[in-house]
Amino acid sequence: MSVDGFPPRSPGRARVGADAFARLSDDDLATCVHCGLCLDACPTFRITGLETESPRGRIYLMTQWKRGTLPFDEEQVKHIDLCLGCRTCEGVCPSGVPYGRIIEAGRADVEDQRRPSLKRATSRVALRQLVGHPGRLRAAGAAARVAQKLHLTSVARSGRMLPRLRARFRAPAGNIAPAIGQRKHRVAFLVGCVMPIMYPQSHDAAVKLLQLAGCEVWFPPGERCCGALFAHNGDLEGAERLREANMRVYEAGTFDALIVDSAGCGAHLKDFYPGLKGRVKDLTEWLAEVGLPEPKREARIRVTYQDACHLVHAQRIKNQPRDLIRALPGVEWIEMRHADICCGAAGLYSTLEPDMSNRILQQKLEDVLATHADVIAVANPGCQMQLEVGLRAHGSAMKVEHVSEVLLRGY
Amino acid sequence: MPLPQPVAEELRRIVGRESVIDAPNDLRIFERDGSIEGAVPDAVVLASSTEHVSAVIKVAAKHRIPVVPRGAGTGLSGGAVTIRGGIALQVTRMRKILAIDPVAQTALVEPGVVNQELSLVAAQHGLFYAPDPSSQKACTIGGNAAENSGGPHCLYYGVTTNHVLGMEVVLADGSVHWVSGDAPDRVGLDLCGVLVGSEGTLCAITKIKVRLLRIPPSIATMLAAFPSIETASQAVSAVIGHGIVPAALEMMDSVTVGAVEAHYHAGYPTDAGAVLLVEVDGIAESTRELMAAIGKILGENQGYAIREAQTPAERELLWAGRKGAIGALGRIKPNYYLHDGVVPRSRLPQVLSAVGEIGEHYQLPVANVFHAGDGNLHPNILFDLRDRQVLHQVEAAGEEMLRAVVELGGALSGEHGIGLEKSAFMPWIYNPDDLGAMHRVKDVFDADGILNPGKIFPDPSRKSVHLAGRTGLAVEAKWW
């Protein structure tokens, strides 16, 4: 150990300035003109009222680190940690600051600088060892499911967070689901890591909708986690390894589009997989493009919708899920206030920053409950889990469903 | 200089441990607002109530520590910058809309309520809050009242002071008072009129009662392109000369249009020398008639590609482009220096050609966005702070532009306030007697000078803005 309590560093490594923050781009940082239009779009600023917990403040901090005008200060890393990575700020930024890219690079740089914490080290190991390997994650999911059946998890905090687990999603034999009716498109489907275990019903519904829309659905064998969870937590190298592995899988097949029904994965694929340029589509984006057949049933429910940050802000997909749901006969639509503001889930954030996550959730629930909807539709598993936990704690009967499930009610 | 520990302890006892920030590295993040200069506060204190504000100011008064109220920090004249150090008194947690009275058409709000949020909530009653600064997504009503902010629609509706009915304020001794009340007609000495726009130098604002207006049944928005700024300015004069006062009348030059189009894709014609955005509201018959008349006048004055927004979404997009224009300039250069001088409308073409010449002389790109209807300029000098050589030129060009405004019979600021940025230029438009009168008002409210010191009044030690002059972090820090 060195005298200041930090672990020893490799010789010659600068502790401040550009060398220590090599991944952060000064040109990216320089696009911020400090106008402050992003402040009230930021969930953590809305809660704390503090410049240090705002996008502008975080960019200012990282800029100073990068330029060496502020020393790296372990205490200040909490401002970076508290960022949800929701990218709401990007949508309102007139200057086009690539905040998502900045915060991911900043986090990766910070990980090299900071004193290791057990919690973060554990989450990184868990990501690499568990999520990075689909077989191991499935095994863990199966174990959790057994534990739930035996009521073993009622004591564990994480057990309360998990939804009731069902049998995991399985790709059909031959890894193909045929089009219903005339085959118009051939699409690949991202099964992913968390969705098939936590919310198999969302995938089931999504695949059914694709088939109804005349798509032959291919499930690329050997596909792994897309890497989004890694990148969001400052493990860019881990994400890169997964991208390389996945690209080999995708290049072996032919498809018109790669369909993603989890917003976080979709955003990551669009940003980090240049080889798939233009072919990554969110489920709702694709369905709005190719069209669904006439619904056969009335839905008869009051529905509202929580935007997924990585859909509305990162992918700028706002109208498609709304339009699709509203087109269902019998649906009573209600737009929720602040629908495009994060619910506090944000991937691993709810585990790493439970206090802030919960404060954001409580603020969100006021808007959710005020809709008096029967169902709140979501587009990402993290949002679903977070809202389920919150609604359950409030004793509300409101159901949380993936957009795909809501849409399938019409067929 | 950090606060003495006993003072910091006193403050912590008032607002709670978590609500006093005095870690030096964290304070650096609070050194700026939306303007160009920064200065590090000695502490940031987050108030959650009038009692907090009052108690904090009492402590500050006792120890003669400067207090600078701060909202979202979007101001463009350095109003929230702690130039003499002291306490940045943050009111962003006081963000409750306390009451909306749909019959009296008023709202009572805390100072941290975000401007646009008030209009969104008021819309449930068919009402809106008229002053609409371009930063309305983030800026606070408290900040708006302190700066007497304007906005595109203030041409027709008037600026913030025309919409504030009364305020609860905390004076320099920590005492709490109400000034004015419910009636638009302020009875007796108009103290509210004195305090709105006092830029934090006379009081801290803790509650604001504002007037709400009924959302007009019909709104029509038109976009027109012109070959040059001069022709567009003539068209503005022609519209107003016909006795028409639109709800808003905005101009953008070609540099701005290019930057805005890149982000918003609002359909602004990028080949134009200037673009006008015109809005009228009222009952449907009258807006139709007015729009037809305006369209005709614009066409007669070399306007082309004239089109009216057909849907509310299209209208919103046209406005999004205008309201995000200043931030969008970050696409051209990472920093800019922005003034907001005002000239009599008829002098617009002259002042704009002067602005253009100054930019050319210093070889600095200048983007113009402005409230053409009321002659309020916003020339933005674009630069990159990382190129230190250019800073003196930027300062000199900014000063010359303001000089041109004043020589044409204009004023230093239309809506951003004097703040830090323009205080040195106050003697250009006020003689020593005028300034003395203002000083006497300041002395009545704040004899010890603890409330936002160093603002509005010229400081003999500062001749102009100090883009390059600040020491240490200043030149390293990023301003616009």
Side-chain angles (χ1 to χ4, degrees):
Chain A
M1 285 297 270
S2 63
V3 282
D4 62 359
F6 283 75
R9 299 194 172 264
S10 48
R13 173 144 208 175
R15 290 286 300 279
V16 294
D19 291 347
F21 289 89
R23 296 181 191 82
L24 272 172
S25 147
D26 200 9
D27 285 337
D28 278 354
L29 292 164
T31 51
C32 172
V33 296
H34 215 260
C35 67
L37 286 199
C38 54
L39 261 64
D40 210 57
C42 176
T44 56
F45 178 82
R46 291 168 65 90
I47 296 276
T48 63
L50 281 171
E51 184 78 22
T52 38
E53 313 310 340
S54 77
R56 179 173 73 173
R58 291 182 180 117
I59 291 171
Y60 203 61
L61 176 60
M62 287 186 274
T63 305
Q64 310 257 22
W65 280 345
K66 173 81 184 177
R67 296 183 185 168
T69 49
L70 258 184
F72 179 73
D73 174 351
E74 189 84 21
E75 283 299 308
Q76 288 190 292
V77 175
K78 67 172 185 279
H79 308 312
I80 306 298
D81 286 344
L82 277 178
C83 169
L84 294 144
C86 69
R87 295 167 68 177
T88 314
C89 49
E90 249 179 69
V92 299
C93 174
S95 183
V97 173
Y99 186 81
R101 197 159 70 207
I102 290 175
I103 193 72
E104 276 174 8
R107 284 192 155 140
D109 283 343
V110 161
E111 286 308 315
D112 286 350
Q113 301 280 318
R114 77 194 313 184
R115 197 182 289 124
S117 94
L118 186 60
K119 196 172 190 179
R120 292 194 174 264
T122 316
S123 76
R124 177 174 282 220
V125 170
L127 269 180
R128 285 202 169 183
Q129 297 302 319
L130 205 60
V131 181
H133 299 269
R136 295 179 197 165
L137 190 65
R138 282 201 296 271
R145 200 169 142 232
V146 171
Q148 275 189 348
K149 290 225 156 123
L150 299 173
H151 302 284
L152 290 177
T153 51
S154 55
V155 283
R157 206 187 152 277
S158 62
R160 284 207 312 273
M161 300 272 300
L162 288 176
R164 179 156 300 281
L165 297 175
R166 312 178 187 197
R168 75 177 163 85
F169 175 86
R170 283 168 203 275
N175 291 318
I176 294 282
I180 295 173
Q182 195 201 343
R183 188 193 112 159
K184 297 181 212 152
H185 314 276
R186 178 181 158 90
V187 298
F189 187 83
L190 178 85
V191 176
C193 47
V194 176
M195 287 280 281
I197 296 164
M198 305 273 270
Y199 295 108
Q201 66 274 29
S202 310
H203 270 3
D204 288 336
V207 172
K208 189 74 191 286
L209 291 169
L210 288 166
Q211 292 175 288
L212 284 166
C215 304
E216 177 179 277
V217 187
W218 174 55
F219 301 87
E223 178 191 67
R224 297 163 72 180
C225 162
C226 67
L229 283 174
F230 292 69
H232 299 161
N233 290 284
D235 187 358
L236 294 180
E237 290 73 19
E240 175 64 20
R241 288 222 296 270
L242 289 165
R243 183 179 69 83
E244 282 167 9
N246 282 330
M247 277 313 291
R248 281 194 292 276
V249 173
Y250 296 135
E251 277 159 6
T254 55
F255 49 89
D256 303 329
L258 171 62
I259 307 300
V260 188
D261 63 358
S262 154
C265 309
H268 183 76
L269 286 160
K270 285 180 179 178
D271 284 351
F272 283 78
Y273 284 62
L276 293 174
K277 199 162 176 50
R279 284 198 295 164
V280 179
K281 299 278 179 183
D282 181 72
L283 175 72
T284 59
E285 181 184 19
W286 177 253
L287 290 177
E289 255 176 65
V290 302
L292 275 167
E294 277 297 305
K296 293 197 177 58
R297 286 192 288 160
E298 278 208 2
R300 291 190 177 281
I301 40 166
R302 185 173 164 94
V303 185
T304 191
Y305 174 70
Q306 161 71 31
D307 284 292
C309 298
H310 281 97
L311 200 57
V312 68
H313 305 302
Q315 301 182 54
R316 306 286 158 92
I317 294 175
K318 183 182 176 95
N319 294 329
Q320 292 92 325
R322 288 176 169 78
D323 292 346
L324 288 164
I325 294 172
R326 294 169 78 154
L328 284 183
V331 156
E332 185 192 345
W333 170 264
I334 172 132
E335 179 70 31
M336 179 170 71
R337 272 189 73 196
H338 304 125
D340 64 349
I341 292 204
C342 183
C343 64
L348 296 184
Y349 190 90
S350 52
T351 313
L352 294 171
E353 302 292 343
D355 177 52
M356 182 61 78
S357 171
N358 189 45
R359 285 164 77 187
I360 294 169
L361 173 62
Q362 295 313 318
Q363 207 176 50
K364 170 62 60 184
L365 285 171
E366 285 176 26
D367 289 323
V368 172
L369 294 168
T371 63
H372 299 289
D374 303 312
V375 175
I376 177 164
V378 293
N380 192 63
C383 322
Q384 181 156 1
M385 215 187 321
Q386 176 89 340
L387 291 173
E388 280 173 351
V389 170
L391 286 168
R392 205 154 53 223
H394 273 257
S396 163
M398 196 184 300
K399 285 170 80 174
V400 189
E401 288 185 10
H402 193 279
V403 176
S404 63
E405 293 170 77
V406 175
L407 293 178
L408 199 62
R409 285 166 177 263
Y411 297 90
Chain B
M1 187 186 76
L3 290 184
Q5 266 317 306
V7 179
E9 265 317 306
E10 263 184 276
L11 294 171
R12 287 195 185 94
R13 273 201 297 277
I14 295 166
V15 292
R17 191 150 291 278
E18 301 286 303
S19 299
V20 176
I21 288 150
D22 59 356
N25 288 343
D26 270 353
L27 291 174
R28 286 281 299 279
I29 312 302
F30 292 84
E31 67 186 357
R32 289 180 54 202
D33 58 8
S35 67
I36 49 168
E37 268 193 277
V40 188
D42 299 323
V44 174
V45 178
L46 279 132
S48 304
S49 64
T50 302
E51 291 69 34
H52 281 172
V53 173
S54 162
V56 168
I57 291 182
K58 276 180 186 154
V59 170
K62 189 167 74 185
H63 301 282
R64 303 256 173 122
I65 299 168
V67 178
V68 182
R70 181 181 168 107
T74 55
L76 292 167
S77 62
V81 173
T82 47
I83 195 69
R84 303 264 172 85
I87 298 167
L89 183 51
Q90 186 105 36
V91 296
T92 34
R93 277 190 197 160
M94 298 174 67
R95 52 182 297 157
K96 284 196 282 294
I97 296 173
L98 299 168
I100 288 186
D101 183 337
V103 179
Q105 298 189 191
T106 59
L108 180 65
V109 302
E110 291 189 325
V113 168
V114 170
N115 177 299
Q116 184 172 268
E117 188 85 7
L118 175 59
S119 275
L120 285 176
V121 173
Q124 295 165 3
H125 306 282
L127 301 170
F128 76 111
Y129 177 64
D132 60 337
S134 294
S135 55
Q136 72 185 129
K137 271 181 190 163
C139 66
T140 60
I141 303 283
N144 294 169
E147 298 291 328
N148 191 16
S149 307
H153 287 82
C154 293
L155 170 62
Y156 181 79
Y157 287 108
V159 293
T160 301
T161 193
N162 304 115
H163 299 268
V164 173
L165 298 172
M167 299 196 294
E168 183 190 73
V169 297
V170 179
L171 298 184
D173 61 354
S175 60
V176 182
H177 305 267
W178 260 99
V179 287
S180 300
D182 293 342
D185 182 12
R186 295 165 182 160
V187 180
L189 282 183
D190 183 2
L191 292 179
C192 192
V194 172
L195 296 178
V196 172
S198 62
E199 305 189 18
T201 62
L202 303 183
C203 66
I205 300 165
T206 48
K207 287 191 184 77
I208 306 120
K209 187 150 205 176
V210 297
R211 195 153 67 106
L212 299 174
L213 301 179
R214 194 143 294 283
I215 297 173
S218 167
I219 302 172
T221 310
M222 183 181 272
L223 187 76
F226 289 84
S228 64
I229 289 184
E230 287 73 26
T231 47
S233 306
Q234 273 146 20
V236 169
S237 296
V239 168
I240 308 240
H242 273 76
I244 302 171
V245 182
L249 184 44
E250 300 284 306
M251 198 191 302
M252 277 165 276
D253 70 358
S254 57
V255 180
T256 312
V257 166
V260 166
E261 262 310 285
H263 180 70
Y264 290 101
H265 312 292
Y268 292 179
T270 46
D271 65 331
V275 163
L276 277 188
L277 188 60
V278 193
E279 185 161 285
V280 295
D281 59 27
I283 55 169
E285 290 78 2
S286 102
T287 56
R288 250 198 316 273
E289 222 171 82
L290 278 172
M291 266 294 143
I294 292 169
K296 186 159 167 283
I297 299 168
L298 298 182
E300 287 164 2
N301 285 276
Q302 302 187 46
Y304 65 97
I306 299 174
R307 70 182 173 92
E308 206 181 316
Q310 298 302 320
T311 62
E314 225 178 284
R315 170 176 175 261
E316 240 170 69
L317 191 59
L318 288 179
W319 273 113
R322 165 61 189 91
K323 296 210 166 169
I326 290 184
L329 296 174
R331 290 170 184 272
I332 301 171
K333 291 272 181 182
N335 305 88
Y336 60 77
Y337 184 32
L338 161 66
H339 276 302
D340 82 314
V342 197
V343 292
R345 246 181 327 253
S346 58
R347 300 287 174 84
L348 267 181
Q350 281 160 275
V351 80
L352 288 170
S353 67
V355 163
E357 278 164 25
I358 294 165
E360 262 165 47
H361 174 80
Y362 287 100
Q363 296 182 326
L364 290 166
V366 178
N368 282 290
V369 195
F370 47 98
H371 309 312
D374 34 30
N376 190 184
L377 273 64
H378 289 82
N380 301 276
I381 306 168
L382 308 176
F383 65 105
D384 187 337
L385 194 97
R386 290 172 293 181
D387 172 10
R388 309 246 181 109
Q389 310 305 320
V390 89
L391 299 180
H392 287 293
Q393 266 119 300
V394 174
E395 278 173 32
E399 185 169 337
E400 276 183 39
M401 284 177 192
L402 266 190
R403 179 71 82 176
V405 164
V406 171
E407 278 169 6
L408 286 164
L412 295 174
S413 169
E415 54 184 10
H416 298 171
I418 297 297
L420 195 54
E421 197 182 86
K422 282 160 289 203
S423 58
F425 312 134
M426 285 286 272
W428 293 356
I429 52 170
Y430 292 113
N431 64 32
D433 286 350
D434 298 338
L435 286 171
M438 288 185 208
H439 266 296
R440 287 197 293 282
V441 174
K442 167 78 177 170
D443 285 345
V444 168
F445 280 92
D446 179 23
D448 290 335
I450 63 159
L451 291 177
N452 208 1
K455 308 296 167 65
I456 301 183
F457 301 103
D459 175 344
S461 68
R462 289 168 54 89
K463 281 169 70 183
S464 68
V465 287
H466 292 232
L467 276 177
R470 285 198 328 161
T471 50
L473 64 106
V475 180
E476 298 295 341
K478 244 185 53 58
W479 316 309
W480 64 7

